[in-house]
Amino acid sequence: MPVMVITGTGTEVGKTVVTAAVAAAALAAGRSVAVLKAAQTGVRPGEPGDAEEVARLAGAVTTDELARYPDPLAPATASRRAGRAPVRPRDVAERAAKLATEHDLVLVEGAGGLLVRFDAAGGTLADAAELLAAPVLVVAQAGLGTLNTTELTVRELRRRGLDPAGVVIGSWPAEPDLAARCNLLDLPDVAGVPLLGAVPAGAGSLGPARFRSSAPHWLAPELEGTWDAEAFRAREAV
Ligand SMILES: Nc1ncnc2c1ncn2[C@@H]1O[C@H](COP(=O)(O)OP(=O)(O)OP(=O)(O)O)[C@@H](O)[C@H]1O
Ligand SMILES: C[C@H](N)[C@H](N)CCCCCC(=O)O
Ligand SMILES: [Mg+2]
């Protein structure tokens, strides 16, 4: 099934920007793409959510969102506070599977990190990925602290029998410090999966045309891009 789940080591790590880059690269390769934001929190009705942000940056994707709750919190908490029904992992899996019948690629973005709860029963994006048997891409931060959170995330994916597709750095600084540069070697080592890209800091502020033409160069061939991890490491002088 052409579904890829996009999680991160936490919130604000660049999942949406990476989702947009993967979508843009897939569109450039001639594939049809749907983006499903499982549960959108912290956004009011009528405001653009993460799925719309992906469409703004990447172009002609189908956007979908199962629910949105106004409080900028975990979906389980935000739905409880709103007095509204939560999104369950089964809902996410069913919607993604339906979109997969109509698109070449379906990207499912969670909220925050892998084990953020969607409902009072403790359902998470990891449960949805299990139902879908979908690979999971992990978006990680560039600098100090990311080795631990990335390894924890990938270990949990493996413990569940899920396939960690790889790691993408959500926001690569223009002037990477020592930790960020060393992480280009250490991240794939501790995670045991390839580094599949690095999206430059500020990419989300590029104009859509520039974002779309650049996106394939931030991502490895596994993600329809042309990015070369070895060349990137050499350029960054690790
Ligand atoms: N490469 C980037 N270029 C520009 N801005 C970025 C980049 N990565 C992250 N940001 C900014 O950092 C913030 C968090 O990014 P993003 O919305 O992608 O996080 P997220 O991991 O999707 O978080 P959430 O859990 O809320 O979905 C946003 O304000 C975004 O504009
Ligand atoms: C509001 C925010 N941007 C995300 N959509 C939700 C992040 C929930 C994180 C919960 C946590 O891990 O403590
Ligand atoms: Mg997001």
Side-chain angles (χ1 to χ4, degrees):
M1 200 189 296
V3 179
M4 176 175 279
V5 171
I6 301 191
T7 191
T9 53
T11 188
E12 299 276 300
V13 298
K15 289 188 304 294
T16 301
V17 177
V18 169
T19 302
V22 175
L27 288 172
R31 305 176 76 194
S32 61
V33 180
V35 175
L36 172 62
K37 178 72 179 182
Q40 177 72 63
T41 64
V43 176
R44 302 206 160 261
E47 286 177 3
D50 284 1
E52 285 80 31
E53 172 69 0
V54 172
R56 183 185 72 78
L57 290 168
V61 299
T62 299
T63 57
D64 204 349
E65 182 183 285
L66 284 161
R68 72 168 49 181
Y69 311 102
D71 289 333
L73 300 170
T77 316
S79 71
R80 186 183 74 226
R81 284 176 49 85
R84 305 223 328 264
V87 171
R88 299 164 307 166
R90 180 163 302 281
D91 304 327
V92 180
E94 284 174 0
R95 185 69 66 88
K98 179 167 188 307
L99 289 165
T101 65
E102 300 153 354
H103 299 83
D104 298 324
L105 178 66
V106 180
L107 301 172
V108 182
E109 184 187 338
L114 183 67
L115 296 184
V116 168
R117 296 187 173 200
F118 280 75
D119 59 20
T124 65
L125 186 70
D127 297 315
E130 280 188 50
L131 290 167
L132 288 157
V136 182
L137 187 66
V138 177
V139 180
Q141 287 175 312
L144 200 63
T146 201
L147 294 174
N148 174 61
T149 51
T150 303
E151 185 170 350
L152 284 170
T153 301
V154 172
R155 278 196 194 198
E156 176 63 7
L157 291 172
R158 289 223 168 84
R159 190 185 70 78
R160 291 166 174 263
L162 283 162
D163 168 25
V167 174
V168 174
I169 295 172
S171 185
W172 182 253
E175 293 186 11
D177 64 9
L178 180 64
R181 287 183 280 119
C182 289
N183 285 340
L184 294 177
L185 270 176
D186 290 341
L187 264 179
D189 185 36
V190 302
V193 292
L195 187 59
L196 293 183
V199 175
S205 309
L206 292 176
R210 183 87 187 284
F211 187 93
R212 291 167 202 175
S213 61
S214 304
H217 306 302
W218 305 328
L219 301 171
E222 290 91 328
L223 296 172
E224 309 271 14
T226 57
W227 191 76
D228 178 345
E230 292 297 327
F232 189 75
R233 272 200 289 270
R235 201 193 79 193
E236 301 298 322
V238 174

